[in-house]
Amino acid sequence: MGMWTIPETPPKDEKFSAEEIDSFIQTFAKEIVRRKMSVPAVIALEMAKPLSFLGHSACVVMGPLIEMVFDPKKIEKMTSILSERCHIERLLETIETMENSVEKAGG
Amino acid sequence: MLTLSIWMGAIITLCCFSFLFKDNPFYRFAEHLFVGVSAGYYFSAISFHQVLKPNLLAKLFPASFGSGQEALAAPELWLIVPTILGILMLFRLSQELAWVSRFTVAFVMGVTTGLTIVLSTHQFLIPQIKKAIVPLFLKGQYIASFSNWVLVIGSIACLFYFFFSTEHRGPIYGTVSRVGIWYLMISFGAAFGATVMGRISLLIGRFQFLLQDWLKLI
């Protein structure tokens, strides 16, 4: 593996298993598709993807305050998703897959 | 010194542009550097020098931290209360004693919510409602009338869309919330366009820096 290669699978997360992250991504994508917000969500995620690490860092810094309002477990999972770009890629794919299946079911 | 800062700026700019090729260690270095520098700047320059020092330390220990006339003033001992509340926040670092920080958080959340509700109502909610109540028919002013119709229909449709207590189905609720989605999509599109324009102007600025200040080609 050369210096230009960033591993495609993220390093093993100590806090959450891959299944937990996957299930969170599924729930997240489901809510976006349910609200018919797939297009803006995909645009926003594609735009913000290169800056995901900054989002992750902001979540870590603001965590103690955000956790007062939202479920701390969900915030930690969101932080974990933002920490690796491949998680965001998976979220994008999940949204697109769900949107396609909804369209097929509707059509 | 100026040459060094120009070279550093140029190298970091190129590190950021390298993401266009693919995710790579140079880009990761640039983003980690940005986070590190921002955190360091925020905590030292802003949190300490602009917030903690002038608002707390200079008033609690004027002889040590105050400057000019401030150094001669009597210590404001009531500031011990917010100091203690601030220290309580540090208990979040301990898993067993994290609950102690809730006192501070409860205080901050209570005060902030109370103030924000009043301020937001006066500054955003009421003016927005006022601006949405417009005449739908203006004699002889067809474009202004059309604009008012667009505004009123958009406001109502978007409010319908954001009401999630009922499923978005049926001839009235389903249709109106669908119109709301169209309004939202158009506004998202406009926001996206504005973002792209903003990013392009930033890109032009970076290229100007690289070609003018660094390479001196233009």
Side-chain angles (χ1 to χ4, degrees), chain B:
Chain B
M1 195 65 194
L2 183 69
T3 316
L4 182 70
S5 81
I6 289 173
W7 270 85
M8 279 176 69
I11 290 166
I12 293 167
T13 304
L14 292 176
C15 284
C16 292
F17 282 155
S18 69
F19 188 78
L20 294 168
F21 170 56
K22 68 177 189 179
D23 199 358
N24 64 76
F26 293 112
Y27 178 75
R28 294 219 165 189
F29 164 73
E31 68 179 357
H32 283 73
L33 183 73
F34 178 76
V35 169
V37 170
S38 304
Y41 178 76
Y42 180 78
F43 287 114
S44 72
I46 298 178
S47 292
F48 183 75
H49 289 288
Q50 287 182 24
V51 179
L52 205 61
K53 198 176 160 191
N55 296 330
L56 181 75
L57 297 174
K59 288 177 181 170
L60 208 54
F61 309 107
S64 310
F65 291 96
S67 56
Q69 287 289 318
E70 210 178 34
L72 304 171
E76 295 181 35
L77 294 175
W78 69 272
L79 286 170
I80 290 172
V81 178
T83 309
I84 292 168
L85 286 172
I87 291 167
L88 293 187
M89 272 302 274
L90 297 176
F91 278 86
R92 283 198 78 82
L93 297 171
S94 154
Q95 279 196 334
E96 286 117 39
L97 295 170
W99 61 272
V100 178
S101 69
R102 287 186 190 158
F103 291 112
T104 309
V105 172
F107 178 78
V108 171
M109 291 289 275
V111 173
T112 313
T113 310
L115 287 172
T116 311
I117 284 175
V118 176
L119 280 175
S120 302
T121 310
H122 282 287
Q123 287 180 348
F124 303 111
L125 191 66
I126 293 173
Q128 207 165 351
I129 293 170
K130 267 186 189 169
K131 292 214 168 163
I133 301 170
V134 286
L136 294 175
F137 298 101
L138 293 164
K139 203 175 175 185
Q141 297 176 2
Y142 301 110
I143 294 176
S145 299
F146 176 72
S147 171
N148 288 355
W149 272 97
V150 171
L151 176 74
V152 171
I153 292 172
S155 303
I156 294 169
C158 290
L159 283 174
F160 261 75
Y161 174 75
F162 280 108
F163 187 71
F164 290 114
S165 299
T166 314
E167 212 175 336
H168 294 171
R169 283 176 188 274
I172 297 171
Y173 200 76
T175 314
V176 178
S177 61
R178 193 153 189 83
V179 174
I181 292 179
W182 275 95
Y183 269 88
L184 288 174
M185 291 297 172
I186 292 166
S187 61
F188 284 140
F192 178 65
T195 310
V196 171
M197 293 291 284
R199 297 290 186 276
I200 285 175
S201 71
L202 287 174
L203 180 72
I204 292 167
R206 280 294 83 195
F207 270 110
Q208 267 180 343
F209 169 75
L210 288 176
L211 299 175
Q212 206 172 334
D213 299 350
W214 185 45
L215 297 175
K216 302 195 189 306
L217 292 176
I218 51 172

